[in-house]
Amino acid sequence: MNGTLAQDPSSVLGEMWISFWIPTVVLTAALAIKLPTIIRLWRDPLLRAVGGLLVIACSVFVFAAPATIAWVNRVTGVPNFAAPLVYSLITAFCGSCLLLIIAWRNGLSDRSAETRRAMRLVICAYSGVIVALWVLFALADAPVERVRDLDTYYANTPFMREETLLYLLAHCTAVLITSRLIWNWVRTDGLDAWLRWGLVLLGVGYALNLIFDAAKLTAVTARWTGNDLDWLSTDLAPPVACLSAILIAVGFILPHAGQYLHDRWRVRLAHHELRPLYLLMKSVNGSGVPFVLRASPELRLIRRETFIRDVLLPLARHIDEELRRRSYDAALALGRPPARAKALAAAVTIQDAADRRSRAPDSSGANGPETAGTPDTADLLQEIGAVSRALRHPDEIEAVRAHTAAPAAPAENVPVHD
């Protein structure tokens, strides 16, 4: 009917429908990201709990999809058999969330009587709810298959009414407690940034679950009073649940994946920053690090660092310590901070040593400046990153060279009067 889109909420929400398979894919991706860590650290009960929670969450959306509901009912030969199955999975998910947050928040080392009592209470309560759901379904008379609107269609049917109310209240209770625990945790000082953002997404995801519960309960209550607000249950609640699941999945992924990507970025950045010094050492050595196709970023960084230090050690005999001191003073005179001046002086010195090495490859320093013993290369070996970054700014290096080479006003040029 024309003009009803703005008046009929179900039409509006129908346009915003989120497929049940989208959160399933996201949750599966979260499980795939976590799985290697879970397998590697299988003895960690917290990781096993995360894995179990994600498996249950995936199962909820697989079995709550209308196509799967119809398939389960057809295979079992029992109309609406999928209802207690989906409700049980939702209840198990709620209990798992509570257990995980209690263990995650308090830490595995917390074996206090209060923590153990809380976990036993959750297990007993939600196991009891699951058993009650199946008992109520066995007692109910629900012969007409309803794939999408079972909650409201049987809202006034004995035992089915109580079944719907029981799973919604169990879900709402778990969401309220979990949300409170998460938001209290978010306000804790000293949290890692990735963990804090993950908790924020979890908190928003669980808050959306409250909208799901409110929509379902309002639609069912409306049926009790003879009204029809079924669109809240059939058109609003499912996409809200899907969006909530996506946020919860990302909330679980973010602390792990974010830290992983951050570490990878730091390794690749360090490898990239060493490139100027690596190329200089490669020109001194005549060859670089052999290419290895399957080398990890960490291994490539270690190999580049090792190569640079291995070439710097024999280059030490060509280093002019006096030039380094004068270059450092020149960089300070140009207004560079001490750390930057030190790196620029080292870059000038290493370039000078490389030139000396190329001019006299077989010499042992006889053609270079006289030095008292072997120069100390400890600082150079430790600060290769800073030196390499300095080499990226040849204009600054040339300024230091020019200032170092500029002759000071000689004392003998000052006129002497008898």
Side-chain angles (χ1 to χ4, degrees):
M1 182 182 296
N2 294 333
T4 60
L5 184 60
Q7 300 175 1
D8 184 3
S10 63
S11 298
V12 176
L13 292 168
E15 297 293 326
M16 301 168 58
W17 180 262
I18 300 176
S19 171
F20 275 83
W21 298 110
I22 295 176
T24 304
V25 170
V26 176
L27 288 164
T28 303
L31 181 60
I33 290 173
K34 286 282 189 182
L35 194 58
T37 305
I38 294 171
I39 294 174
R40 188 172 66 254
L41 302 175
W42 179 251
R43 300 175 70 86
D44 186 337
L46 194 56
L47 285 173
R48 292 203 305 269
V50 171
L53 179 66
L54 292 173
V55 169
I56 294 173
C58 288
S59 301
V60 168
F61 283 93
V62 169
F63 285 96
T68 310
I69 290 174
W71 177 82
V72 169
N73 294 336
R74 184 173 65 253
V75 169
T76 60
V78 179
N80 302 309
F81 184 86
L85 176 60
V86 173
Y87 295 165
S88 297
L89 288 172
I90 293 174
T91 304
F93 174 74
C94 294
S96 299
C97 288
L98 274 175
L99 291 174
L100 178 61
I101 295 299
I102 291 171
W104 196 6
R105 178 67 179 87
N106 296 339
L108 295 176
S109 59
D110 186 352
R111 300 296 182 182
S112 65
E114 183 180 358
T115 299
R116 293 197 301 271
R117 185 165 55 251
M119 298 184 80
R120 283 198 301 269
L121 179 61
V122 170
I123 293 172
C124 292
Y126 281 85
S127 297
V129 169
I130 291 173
V131 171
L133 288 172
W134 286 97
V135 171
L136 288 171
F137 180 75
L139 296 174
D141 182 20
V144 180
E145 182 185 57
R146 308 302 297 184
V147 174
R148 294 190 59 205
D149 62 346
L150 182 138
D151 295 337
T152 51
Y153 186 86
Y154 288 109
N156 291 306
T157 302
F159 300 113
M160 284 300 292
R161 173 182 57 220
E162 287 76 10
E163 173 153 354
T164 300
L165 189 61
L166 178 61
Y167 101 83
L168 287 175
L169 290 178
H171 184 262
C172 187
T173 301
V175 168
L176 284 170
I177 296 173
T178 305
S179 296
R180 181 173 177 272
L181 290 173
I182 289 174
W183 288 113
N184 286 342
W185 193 2
V186 169
R187 290 191 289 269
T188 304
D189 294 332
L191 287 182
D192 174 78
W194 294 108
L195 175 58
R196 188 181 299 278
W197 279 108
L199 289 172
V200 168
L201 290 175
L202 286 174
V204 174
Y206 282 109
L208 286 175
N209 268 322
L210 293 175
I211 299 177
F212 169 86
D213 291 327
K216 287 281 188 179
L217 286 169
T218 302
V220 170
T221 304
R223 280 291 187 130
W224 294 346
T225 59
N227 297 304
D228 185 355
L229 292 176
D230 289 6
W231 64 270
L232 288 172
S233 177
T234 57
D235 297 306
L236 175 62
V240 167
C242 292
L243 183 58
S244 169
I246 292 171
L247 291 175
I248 290 173
V250 175
F252 278 119
I253 293 172
L254 192 61
H256 173 79
Q259 189 59 53
Y260 173 84
L261 293 175
H262 180 67
D263 292 342
R264 281 291 182 272
W265 169 252
R266 288 196 306 173
V267 169
R268 292 184 183 278
L269 182 61
H271 185 268
H272 177 69
E273 286 183 339
L274 287 175
R275 179 174 172 77
L277 185 55
Y278 167 72
L279 293 177
L280 180 59
M281 295 299 98
K282 183 178 177 181
S283 68
V284 171
N285 189 63
S287 62
V289 178
F291 177 74
V292 178
L293 181 62
R294 299 177 62 86
S296 65
E298 292 86 356
L299 180 58
R300 288 199 295 270
L301 175 61
I302 292 172
R303 285 162 61 86
R304 178 164 286 188
E305 290 174 338
T306 303
F307 173 80
I308 290 172
R309 292 189 173 101
D310 286 346
V311 179
L312 269 177
L313 281 173
L315 193 64
R317 68 172 75 108
H318 300 278
I319 286 178
D320 185 348
E321 287 294 327
E322 178 60 26
L323 175 62
R324 180 152 60 160
R325 283 192 293 270
R326 287 189 287 112
S327 298
Y328 177 73
D329 293 338
L332 290 177
L334 290 170
R336 303 298 185 268
R340 181 65 174 174
K342 185 178 178 181
L344 287 168
V348 170
T349 307
I350 291 174
Q351 284 183 335
D352 179 75
D355 290 341
R356 293 178 183 278
R357 172 74 158 69
S358 63
R359 291 197 302 267
D362 298 325
S363 75
S364 59
N367 294 331
E370 293 295 333
T371 58
T374 302
D376 182 11
T377 58
D379 287 344
L380 293 178
L381 296 176
Q382 292 174 0
E383 302 296 332
I384 57 176
V387 175
S388 188
R389 288 191 294 272
L391 288 170
R392 289 185 175 276
H393 301 278
D395 52 336
E396 290 191 65
I397 293 176
E398 288 304 318
V400 172
R401 283 185 181 278
H403 198 280
T404 303
E412 58 269 24
N413 290 340
V414 179
V416 180
H417 299 283
D418 292 334

